[in-house]
Amino acid sequence: MTRRFLAGIELGGTWCRCVAGTGPGDIRAEEEVPTRDPQSTLAALARILERWQSALGELAALGLASFGPMDLRRDSPGYGRLGATPKSGWPGIDLRGFFARRFAVPIGLTTDVIGAALAEGRWGAARGLADYAYVTVGTGVGVGLIAGGKAVLGCHHPELGHIRVARSPSDQWRGSCPFHQDCVEGLVSGPAIESRTGSRPADIPPDSAVWDAVAHTLTQLAHVLVLAAGPCRIVMGGGVMDGQPHLFPRIRRGLERSIAGYLDLEELTGGVDRYIVRPALGTHAGRLGGLAVAAEAESSRSAAPG
Ligand code: ADP
Ligand code: ZN
């Protein structure tokens, strides 16, 4: 057995999850640390990697999949730094630099949702596809959009969870996003549903009218994705989708109605039931995100000339 291994770190709002291995079939170690102030959290993560280097062998590459916003422009002086995250102490932290100073290996860096998208593409429900989207509906709403095998990145990483979509005429709720009120996240994140209903989303029965509104909004998000980027599959995960499987048929039928024959979805997608799907990695997509980013960093280094 090879002694080389990849390490992935998913930096989340409450926990940072570290994984060593080469993929879901070869996980050699896993550890978690609570996300506290950046100094103690990053030091704890570095100690885990150092321990793994002594115990497991040669670290071949490191992947970081983090909460954002984050500067992902490779030519920017701020590459790898966190932006204006509401997490106290973290804005401006040079995430990539911290690890690059301690570990002389290729380091890949991306957002948590793009990391999960890459993991689903490498090992999960979007395997073999170069164009697809991964949507998470949980504490927030995020979209990892992959086009031509690469995450779509502009002068900042797209934040499709915050787009405004057509509201259902029967739904006037104002929404809960502090920036945009009734953007997608402001309407369908777990906390949005909770603030709208006063109930924990897990306790709301499937026949509640709130799920009609949630399905409508997510249908509209899917409509935008289909027309903006032509993904060959849309993978939908996160705590809300995971806990409310009845949303899937509603969104699939809703998408057919919304596209209204403008595209032949049946022909383009092989049928909408195979088009809007659950993640194959289940709740592991997030923690495997860092590993997928590490795998990408390693292969891009071996592909680089010279
Ligand atoms: P995060 O987005 O923080 O990574 P999750 O994807 O696990 O975390 O999503 C957490 C959200 O999912 C919470 O807002 C919670 O209310 C919601 N949630 C958890 N279980 C259910 C369920 N059974 N039905 C609907 N929503 C749920
Ligand atoms: Zn918003």
Side-chain angles (χ1 to χ4, degrees):
M1 192 175 85
T2 169
R3 281 172 46 79
R4 283 162 66 81
F5 69 99
L6 306 170
I9 303 178
E10 182 203 9
L11 292 103
T14 39
W15 289 95
C16 296
R17 299 192 169 88
C18 311
V19 183
T22 55
D26 173 33
I27 300 289
R28 301 186 207 165
E30 279 189 83
E31 285 193 45
E32 299 188 338
V33 297
T35 309
R36 298 210 174 100
D37 64 283
Q39 287 71 25
S40 67
T41 308
L42 292 175
L45 294 173
R47 280 196 299 274
I48 290 172
L49 295 178
E50 282 157 9
R51 214 172 332 110
W52 283 352
Q53 279 182 312
S54 338
L56 301 177
E58 185 193 342
L59 176 63
L62 171 63
L64 306 169
S66 173
F67 61 83
M70 196 177 358
D71 187 343
L72 294 178
R73 296 166 299 168
R74 282 176 185 277
D75 56 354
S76 156
Y79 176 59
R81 273 184 198 275
L82 287 169
T85 162
K87 290 192 67 59
S88 162
W90 287 85
I93 290 293
D94 182 4
L95 214 48
R96 189 180 181 285
F98 175 86
F99 289 99
R101 281 192 294 278
R102 289 162 178 79
F103 300 95
V105 296
I107 297 180
L109 171 87
T110 196
T111 65
D112 43 8
V113 66
I114 294 174
L118 294 173
E120 284 292 332
R122 192 170 275 269
W123 300 300
R127 204 140 113 181
L129 299 178
D131 302 279
Y132 63 94
Y134 172 83
V135 179
T136 175
V137 187
T139 308
V141 177
V143 180
L145 186 58
I146 310 295
K150 293 250 171 264
V152 173
L153 295 174
C155 60
H156 67 103
H157 46 88
E159 290 282 355
L160 281 152
H162 287 272
I163 62 170
R164 302 179 200 279
V165 295
R167 299 290 303 271
S168 158
S170 61
D171 174 17
Q172 304 298 320
W173 188 59
R174 62 183 153 53
S176 69
C177 176
F179 299 95
H180 320 113
Q181 296 282 349
D182 64 348
C183 67
V184 172
E185 179 167 304
L187 292 173
V188 307
S189 68
I193 297 168
E194 187 156 347
S195 115
R196 174 179 192 152
T197 59
S199 305
R200 281 175 359 123
D203 298 335
I204 304 172
D207 60 358
S208 160
V210 76
W211 297 123
D212 295 334
V214 169
H216 173 87
T217 299
L218 291 172
T219 297
Q220 290 302 300
L221 175 61
H223 179 120
V224 170
L225 289 172
V226 168
L227 296 174
C232 300
R233 194 163 296 151
I234 300 177
V235 182
M236 291 189 145
V240 174
M241 294 307 297
D242 214 43
Q244 305 294 325
H246 57 89
L247 289 172
F248 281 92
R250 297 191 201 195
I251 296 167
R252 291 174 184 137
R253 302 285 91 76
L255 180 65
E256 284 172 328
R257 277 197 304 277
S258 185
I259 293 290
Y262 183 73
L263 297 172
D264 185 343
L265 282 182
E266 191 66 26
E267 194 229 313
L268 288 174
T269 67
V272 80
D273 290 346
R274 286 194 288 156
Y275 186 59
I276 295 192
V277 299
R278 306 180 74 132
L281 304 173
T283 50
H284 304 307
R287 74 191 175 98
L288 291 171
L291 214 52
V293 179
E296 200 168 75
E298 189 191 28
S299 55
S300 56
R301 189 205 27 196
S302 29

